[in-house]
Amino acid sequence: VYSDTALAAARERYTSALRIISKSLKSSKEAAKDTVLLASLLLDVFEKIMGSKLRTSRSWTSHVNGALALVRLRGLEKFQEPSEFRILRCICSHCVISCVASGSPVPKELNTVRAYIGKCQNFQDPIWRLLDLMINYANIRSKIRRGIFSKEKYAGVFAELDLKLQTLELDTTPSWQYSTT
């Protein structure tokens, strides 16, 4: 049920959380903590759900870009624990979703993060492989929006991507495949 009171309270807490994060960012030691990274991702989800900003490329990617900057500040080599790798995977997912939604290209820095995760964890589940294909999709969509691809070119590129999606579907175990009930 829509509630102006609940919406006002949520936006007030969002603004308060932004202030707290801003204070944390003044100290590189505080800014490098997992809690600040997770808070950035929560703020990202809040903005996407609430639609609190105009749907521009920048508004769709601002918190994720901030999270990537925090990863850069901390240094990838400092991410060693399983929980820290989960945070990195969440940042990757949020980033790709934001880029797909906004039509922005996926930042090159994300490839560096993904390569680090792959090197340290040999992470190859179907969701990770699907994320690879969604990165391709986001980058293709960005090129189309910028007029880099002709209609003929992107039709072929999308046909190739569709084949890769079909291959992924066929390669997954039955537990990952959908069933109609």
Side-chain angles (χ1 to χ4, degrees), residues 7 11 14-15 18 40 43-66 102:
L7 186 59
R11 286 201 171 120
Y14 171 80
T15 304
L18 280 176
S40 181
L43 292 173
D44 181 60
V45 170
F46 177 84
E47 283 199 12
K48 285 176 176 55
I49 291 171
M50 299 304 294
S52 56
K53 289 186 180 180
L54 295 174
R55 304 284 179 170
T56 64
S57 295
R58 190 172 186 288
S59 69
W60 270 96
T61 59
S62 62
H63 288 298
V64 171
N65 287 337
S102 69

Side-chain angles (χ1 to χ4, degrees), residues 124-162:
Q124 286 298 317
D125 77 358
I127 291 174
W128 196 246
R129 291 175 55 205
L130 178 62
L131 202 59
D132 286 336
L133 297 176
M134 295 312 298
I135 288 170
N136 288 338
Y137 173 74
N139 289 331
I140 293 166
R141 186 164 182 257
S142 172
K143 288 177 181 177
I144 291 169
R145 286 187 71 218
R146 292 181 287 155
I148 294 173
F149 281 163
S150 66
K151 286 186 180 181
E152 295 79 21
K153 172 79 173 172
Y154 73 75
V157 171
F158 277 129
E160 186 180 315
L161 183 59
D162 192 47

Side-chain angles (χ1 to χ4, degrees), residues 4-178:
D4 286 328
T5 306
L7 186 59
R11 286 201 171 120
E12 187 177 304
R13 288 184 180 175
Y14 171 80
T15 304
S16 175
L18 280 176
R19 278 191 224 110
I20 292 168
I21 286 184
S22 292
K23 285 181 187 176
S24 297
L25 294 177
K26 291 178 182 173
S27 159
S28 58
K29 183 180 177 184
E30 288 296 312
K33 289 184 176 179
D34 290 349
T35 52
V36 177
L37 279 170
L38 291 170
S40 181
L41 294 177
L42 285 172
L43 292 173
D44 181 60
V45 170
F46 177 84
E47 283 199 12
K48 285 176 176 55
I49 291 171
M50 299 304 294
S52 56
K53 289 186 180 180
L54 295 174
R55 304 284 179 170
T56 64
S57 295
R58 190 172 186 288
S59 69
W60 270 96
T61 59
S62 62
H63 288 298
V64 171
N65 287 337
L68 284 170
L70 292 172
V71 169
R72 190 178 333 112
L73 172 74
R74 182 170 167 178
L76 274 175
E77 68 284 351
K78 299 274 174 52
F79 289 84
Q80 296 292 320
E81 298 298 319
S83 62
E84 294 168 331
F85 281 104
R86 279 194 298 275
I87 292 170
L88 289 177
R89 288 194 306 267
C90 285
I91 290 170
C92 291
S93 297
H94 278 246
C95 185
V96 173
I97 290 166
S98 296
C99 291
V100 166
S102 69
S104 302
V106 174
K108 291 183 184 353
E109 188 173 8
L110 188 72
N111 294 328
T112 305
V113 172
R114 287 176 49 80
Y116 177 74
I117 294 169
K119 181 182 84 174
C120 295
Q121 293 212 310
N122 192 22
F123 198 64
Q124 286 298 317
D125 77 358
I127 291 174
W128 196 246
R129 291 175 55 205
L130 178 62
L131 202 59
D132 286 336
L133 297 176
M134 295 312 298
I135 288 170
N136 288 338
Y137 173 74
N139 289 331
I140 293 166
R141 186 164 182 257
S142 172
K143 288 177 181 177
I144 291 169
R145 286 187 71 218
R146 292 181 287 155
I148 294 173
F149 281 163
S150 66
K151 286 186 180 181
E152 295 79 21
K153 172 79 173 172
Y154 73 75
V157 171
F158 277 129
E160 186 180 315
L161 183 59
D162 192 47
L163 285 173
K164 290 178 181 177
L165 285 165
Q166 288 175 1
T167 301
L168 175 63
E169 180 184 13
L170 294 173
D171 286 348
T172 58
T173 62
S175 66
W176 281 93
Q177 295 177 2
Y178 73 90

